[in-house]
Structures are given as structure tokens and as C-alpha cells.
Amino acid sequence: MACFFRRHIASKLSKALWQPEETFISSISAIPVSKKQQSPDFRFSLSSLQQNSTLPSADGIQAKIEALVQRLKPDNVVEEILVGRGTINFKISRSVLAEKILEKLHGEGHSFGVKSELFSSLQKGRTLVEFSSPNIAKKFHAGHLRSTIIGNFIANLKETVGNEVIRVNYLGDWGMQFGLLGAGFQHFGSEEKLRVNPLQHLFDVYVRVNREAESDESIWLAAREFFRCLEQGEEQALSLWQRFRDITIEEYQRIYKRLGVHFDEYSGESFHQSQAKEVLRQLKDQGLLQTTEKGTGVVDLSPAKDMSYYSTVVRSDGTSLYITRDIAAAIARKEKYAFDEMIYVTDKSQSGHFQQMFQILQAMGYEWAQSCLHVPFGLVQGMKTRQGEVVFLEDVLDEARARMLRNMKESRTTKDLEDPEDTAQEVGISALIVQDFKGPLVSDYAFSWEQVLQAQGNTGVFLQYTHARLRSLIRMQEGSLEATFDPQLLQEQCSINILQHLLRYDEVLYRSLQDLQPKHLVNFLMTLCHLAATAHRALPVKGSPPAQAQARLRLFRGTCTVLANGMRILGITPVEKM
């Protein structure tokens, strides 16, 4: 909705400075709500005019601002134009502010803010996001939670603003780990245990074979032989591998369903093992593949071409490596999907891997590698359940649900729910996501159940509680909602604070699209929750005169809509009751 006001202000500046309106649009921003004092609604920074030479010099900038303000006249939309420090500030008519925002929200609903002209400069088209990507034959570790929810957020965000999004789960289903697992199962596996608790048994076998391999060289030799058989396509090895893969995907899909996450494609390293050979042939034909004294195949990535920095792409025995298969997968995806950008979501320890991979693709002549991006994230420290140190994601989700269910039962405000376990699960997942998204993704953070599940403060529980409370208010007044309302009846400061904050929604989405960080949206929604809580206490709907109740109900419904929209982008399912 800020577009209407931004365009109106840009029109004034255009006439005063004899420049196209588009010159000013991106430099007009909504002013954050101030708790201490009433503030204008928009600011225009003149520094942008110096950058594009509309104002050729910084000399006497304040005098130029004052002179420009004299030429800008208030009207029925902009009621006040004020001189700031290096800026011009604009105060919108309060009744126009309420009317335009709430009418837009009423008409657009889920699409509110996402058609902003701010997004016109950003790349649109087809986005491929690779995320989650756990390893086959291992239980879904809590460490994969971050990749899953961050990738889901990025995919949701891109989709919200009109990109076509392809969600890919690139499973770790190849490599020496399967040599170890195959050899381990042949030594320690049990068909009966595999039937009863398949993934747990495979995990136990993998742990044991790794432990045994530390002191028994024959285990390593057996593992290498099993992986060689896989690479050669031998039937017995492939059959066992396929069983492990099918078992694991079935288990993962159940957990993804709990998280509300879906994928358009489940692929894996195994899909590209034959294509990896073609990559090696290309590298050799282009003179990029070199052989070291140890017999490994490498690509020299050093600026001086002196082998001071290189990437290993094939083992001495001729078997492929993770990076070779990743390169093959990228080429295959470009051919299949013709993506405009491809985003990889993994932990920050893999930053060097992706840097090398993108460099090799460019060296091979694939200019589209410049549109590939790695989004790194840090580690979660201290995420444990009562069961012990090794944390599986399903255990974490069960723990969040159980703790939340207990908190809800102890709360005096909790309503009678048809299915309290479902609500507890959604709120528990919300708590995990908000805790994860508060800060920069690349930062490590310490996990605390007590902080995560607090009902007050900037938590997922508070976010869900605010939404549920507003939904309850709207349900109770559903039949009384009329098509029109009087914006003059929303002049209280707590109403204005909400309206001012809603002006920033498209800017928050724009900033999130620029750096793919969810913290901007989380912070925006938390502030909106606090503003809504204040307004809910100060502006009763029940018992107010009909016209006033109607205006307040419209304000709360609009607030609830934006909360729900933002939550869905984050990957949170809004609950109706708590």
C-alpha cells in the first residue's frame, strides 16, 4: 500500500525538480514507528540525488533541502512536509492513511504488499532452491532442520513475489559413506531389525562400522570394494542401496509433512554419477584436468596457475567425488529447468566447496554459474532432548509438541481445542522457526527450550497467540463486518502506530529478497504483534458504538491478515485458536 503514497510523494518531487517520478521512488521509505513520539510517515533522502547527479554537489545540502521544502506544498494526502537532517519528511493525512491501507488490505488480502513497484528492479523468473538434502540411510538429524526451514523460507519468499520456484531435495545417496554402510550391513546387519525399525537399525550399523573401521583396515578395504561395485552398477550392491534409499525417503517424507514442507523433486548424487564422467571428460578436453603425483585428478583454481589452490575432482582409483557430482547436477538442472537463478542452502562449512564449484563451472564456460548462490548458515548449539546427546529431528519435534502441550494445559487463557496436540505441534514448530530466524543466518546460536517456548517476548508462541487472539475477535464479530467504515474513527495513536508500521511491509519483503535473511520479516511481525496487543487493550470492539466498532474491527482484521501472510512466508502455519 505504501506504493500509493510513495508515488504521490514522487510526483511532487518530480514537478519540483523536473525529473521523472521513477528517479525518486526507491529513495522514499516508510519511517519506523517511534514509541517515544509521534513521527512522520515517509522520508526522502537527498543523498540519492547526489549519487545520480540530480544534485551535483553535497555543498550546502541542508540549505537545498529547506529551499526544496518551500516548493513542495501539502495537499489532501500529504498534510505536512518537514525538514529533516539530510532528508525531507512527509506526514500523511491520518484519515487517508487509514482509508487507503485498510481498503487495500480488504481488497487484496494475501497479495497485500507483494505487488510493490520496489520489486521491479529485482530479478524475476525461475528460481531453483536446493535445500534440506539429508543423507540416505541416516535418521533425520536436528542439524538438517536449519537447511530445511531456511530453504523453505527462501522458496516461499520467491514464490510470494511472483517467481516460479522449483524445490529440490538433493539427497546424499552416493559416495564412500555407502561403501561403509554396505560393508557394515554385510558384516553386522539384521534383516529382522531392518523390518522392525529400519532407519534406526541402519544408523546403528553405520555407527558401528565407523567405529570398527578405525582399528580394522579390512573394513575400509571392504567399503572401497562395495562402493566400487556401486559405481560399476553391480546388481547386488545396487539392490541393497535401493532398499536403503526407499526406506529413508519414506521416513523423511513423514517428517517433512509435519514441518509443512514439500519438494518438487527428490534427486541425489546417484542421479549424476554417469554424468560426472562426462564432466571429467569435458575438463580433460578443455585442458583443465591435471593429475597429481598421488594420481588424483584436480582443477587448478589459483590466479597464477601455480597449483597453490586447486580442487580435487576424481580419486586415484577413478571414482567420483561429491564436487564432481555437484557440477554434473548443476549442468543437468540448467538443461532441464532453464533456471534464472539457483540457490543452495547448506551450513557455512561448505562455503569453500561451493566457491570452488562455481569457479570450475565458469572455467568450463558456463556463464550462468554467476547466477548460482550459496546461502550459508551457522550451527545450533545445545539442541538436546531428554534422551541424550544425539538429537534426531523427530525427537525435537516431539519434544516441542510435548512441552507446548504442557504449557497450554497450565495456561489459564488456553481455549478448549478440538485437537490440542495438533495446535501444540504447530505452535512448537513456530517457536523453533522464530528462534532460528531472529538473527543473521550465518551466526551460530545457543538453543534453549525455556526461551524458545516463552509466551511473552519475541517468540513464535507470542506470534501464534497474537494471531489466534485476533482471529477469535474477528470470529465473534464476523456477521457485523460491513463493506464500508469511517477512517476518521481510527485517530488514536495506537491505531496510527499500526497503520504506520503496515506501510513498511513491502520494504521489509524487499530487503529480505535482497539478502535472503528472514530476520527482517521476523522483526517486522514481532513489532506488529506488540502494537496489536497494545491496540487490543486500548480499543475494545464489543460495547463500542457500531461505527467505531466497525472501524476497529477493520483495523484488527487487516493486522491479522498481514500477520498470517508473513507467517506463511516464514513457513509457519497460523493457528486459529490457542
Side-chain angles (χ1 to χ4, degrees):
M1 183 54 243
C3 287
F4 170 82
F5 299 115
R6 230 183 259 116
R7 179 64 64 179
H8 190 86
I9 293 168
S11 175
K12 286 181 173 296
L13 293 167
S14 172
K15 290 170 184 172
L17 292 170
W18 298 91
Q19 293 288 330
E21 290 180 12
E22 306 304 324
T23 306
F24 310 104
I25 291 290
S26 61
S27 302
I28 300 167
S29 58
I31 297 173
V33 173
S34 171
K35 293 181 180 178
K36 297 179 180 178
Q37 60 187 17
Q38 295 186 30
S39 59
D41 304 292
F42 288 93
R43 70 163 60 99
F44 171 68
S45 171
L46 265 72
S47 62
S48 60
L49 298 186
Q50 293 163 3
Q51 290 168 9
N52 64 22
S53 302
T54 304
L55 283 181
S57 167
D59 296 338
I61 187 72
Q62 203 62 26
K64 289 177 182 177
I65 289 173
E66 291 173 7
L68 179 54
V69 166
Q70 294 300 315
R71 294 155 63 188
L72 300 172
K73 303 302 179 187
D75 55 26
N76 63 340
V77 175
V78 177
E79 66 179 25
E80 225 177 323
I81 303 173
L82 308 161
V83 174
R85 186 172 297 177
T87 64
I88 300 173
N89 299 327
F90 300 84
K91 182 181 178 183
I92 304 298
S93 159
R94 292 323 186 205
S95 59
V96 174
L97 184 68
E99 178 187 2
K100 294 294 184 184
I101 289 179
L102 297 180
E103 279 186 354
K104 198 77 170 174
L105 261 167
H106 182 69
E108 292 188 349
H110 292 319
S111 62
F112 176 80
V114 302
K115 297 177 181 177
S116 173
E117 55 199 355
L118 289 179
F119 306 143
S120 60
S121 62
L122 294 175
Q123 183 183 30
K124 293 283 184 72
R126 184 173 292 164
T127 302
L128 191 149
V129 187
E130 180 198 297
F131 63 104
S132 194
S133 305
N135 292 323
I136 290 296
K138 294 183 183 178
K139 290 190 77 172
F140 204 144
H141 196 278
H144 287 103
L145 176 64
R146 293 208 81 184
S147 175
T148 304
I149 62 176
I150 293 166
N152 192 46
F153 157 74
I154 292 171
N156 291 343
L157 179 65
K158 292 283 185 176
E159 213 163 46
T160 297
V161 297
N163 285 38
E164 180 189 352
V165 175
I166 300 155
R167 301 159 188 255
V168 174
N169 197 338
Y170 185 68
L171 302 168
D173 64 353
W174 208 249
M176 271 303 295
Q177 59 179 329
F178 283 95
L180 274 168
L181 184 64
F185 192 79
Q186 288 171 341
H187 279 78
F188 317 118
S190 160
E191 286 292 338
E192 184 181 348
K193 289 180 179 179
L194 192 66
R195 281 194 300 273
V196 174
N197 193 346
L199 218 50
Q200 183 63 52
H201 181 53
L202 291 179
F203 175 76
D204 293 341
V205 167
Y206 188 74
V207 170
R208 183 175 178 184
V209 74
N210 271 277
R211 186 172 63 243
E212 297 287 339
E214 290 177 6
S215 57
D216 188 344
E217 181 66 24
S218 68
I219 297 286
W220 275 111
L221 293 174
R224 287 182 179 277
E225 176 59 19
F226 188 91
F227 183 52
R228 188 195 65 77
C229 291
L230 271 181
E231 292 254 272
Q232 296 298 319
E234 293 187 15
E235 187 176 345
Q236 187 177 357
L238 277 175
S239 175
L240 192 59
W241 168 84
Q242 188 66 53
R243 282 182 70 195
F244 295 164
R245 193 178 194 278
D246 292 344
I247 286 168
T248 314
I249 289 178
E250 186 177 347
E251 175 80 359
Y252 288 166
Q253 285 177 326
R254 189 170 56 79
I255 297 173
Y256 289 132
K257 188 175 181 180
R258 287 183 70 176
L259 287 168
V261 173
H262 73 276
F263 292 92
D264 300 300
E265 178 183 293
Y266 282 87
S267 70
E269 295 177 70
S270 62
F271 284 57
H272 305 288
Q273 48 144 334
S274 60
Q275 295 164 338
K277 295 174 182 175
E278 174 59 22
V279 166
L280 293 172
R281 188 194 63 76
Q282 269 186 265
L283 288 169
K284 186 176 181 181
D285 290 349
Q286 292 175 319
L288 296 170
L289 185 64
Q290 300 184 41
T291 304
T292 66
E293 291 179 1
K294 296 179 180 179
T296 57
V298 302
V299 177
D300 184 5
L301 299 174
S302 59
K305 298 301 174 188
D306 57 3
M307 292 289 284
S308 58
Y309 172 55
Y310 61 83
S311 174
T312 304
V313 293
V314 62
R315 292 189 183 89
S316 57
D317 64 1
T319 54
S320 60
L321 287 165
Y322 183 67
I323 191 167
T324 328
R325 298 188 288 273
D326 254 5
I327 292 168
I331 295 168
R333 288 174 189 169
K334 184 64 177 179
E335 291 173 355
K336 181 177 179 180
Y337 293 113
F339 57 76
D340 296 293
E341 60 178 347
M342 179 159 58
I343 300 168
Y344 296 86
V345 184
T346 71
D347 72 79
K348 60 187 177 184
S349 70
Q350 295 193 46
S351 294
H353 165 83
F354 285 103
Q355 182 182 359
Q356 290 186 357
M357 175 185 156
F358 299 156
Q359 279 184 271
I360 292 171
L361 282 166
Q362 287 196 61
M364 293 173 74
Y366 296 113
E367 291 302 319
W368 49 262
Q370 296 177 20
S371 63
C372 295
L373 175 69
H374 175 225
V375 176
F377 56 83
L379 302 177
V380 183
Q381 299 154 343
M383 183 181 274
K384 293 185 286 189
T385 64
R386 298 184 190 90
Q387 280 70 44
E389 292 292 331
V390 176
V391 184
F392 298 121
L393 179 57
E394 189 161 28
D395 297 332
V396 172
L397 297 183
D398 289 346
E399 185 100 2
R401 180 176 60 194
R403 287 178 183 247
M404 197 62 234
L405 195 59
R406 187 179 69 234
N407 291 359
M408 287 163 58
K409 286 177 179 176
E410 292 172 358
S411 171
R412 295 179 183 177
T413 60
T414 298
K415 305 285 187 282
D416 291 330
L417 302 170
E418 291 179 13
D419 196 334
E421 286 216 357
D422 278 359
T423 300
Q425 173 160 289
E426 293 299 347
V427 177
I429 290 171
S430 306
L432 293 172
I433 290 174
V434 168
Q435 171 75 5
D436 200 283
F437 285 178
K438 280 183 182 179
L441 294 179
V442 76
S443 297
D444 301 340
Y445 74 88
F447 183 86
S448 161
W449 281 113
E450 285 65 36
Q451 290 180 2
V452 165
L453 297 177
Q454 281 182 1
Q456 300 299 319
N458 294 337
T459 67
V461 180
F462 179 55
L463 180 60
Q464 287 281 25
Y465 174 73
T466 305
H467 176 268
R469 198 176 184 190
L470 292 176
R471 284 295 303 143
S472 176
L473 173 66
I474 293 161
R475 275 194 306 273
M476 286 191 295
Q477 305 292 330
E478 202 80 68
S480 64
L481 195 64
E482 297 176 4
T484 59
F485 73 103
D486 184 355
Q488 297 281 359
L489 298 175
L490 291 173
Q491 301 302 302
E492 304 91 350
Q493 190 55 43
C494 55
S495 299
I496 300 302
N497 286 346
I498 289 177
L499 294 167
Q500 285 182 309
H501 191 60
L502 293 177
L503 286 173
R504 299 187 59 234
Y505 186 57
D506 65 342
E507 294 178 16
V508 167
L509 294 183
Y510 176 75
R511 192 171 179 192
S512 299
L513 281 162
Q514 286 182 305
D515 63 9
L516 301 181
Q517 297 284 318
K519 63 179 181 177
H520 313 303
L521 183 53
V522 168
N523 293 336
F524 173 87
L525 294 177
M526 286 303 169
T527 299
L528 185 56
C529 283
H530 289 293
L531 294 174
T534 300
H536 192 271
R537 289 191 296 269
L539 306 175
V541 174
K542 188 178 180 180
S544 297
Q548 190 174 61
Q550 192 65 219
R552 290 173 178 178
L553 188 59
R554 184 67 69 95
L555 175 70
F556 289 127
R557 193 173 77 157
T559 302
C560 190
T561 296
V562 175
L563 274 179
N565 292 350
M567 289 163 77
R568 290 189 186 97
I569 293 172
L570 293 174
I572 294 171
T573 301
V575 300
E576 293 290 305
K577 295 179 182 179
M578 268 185 75

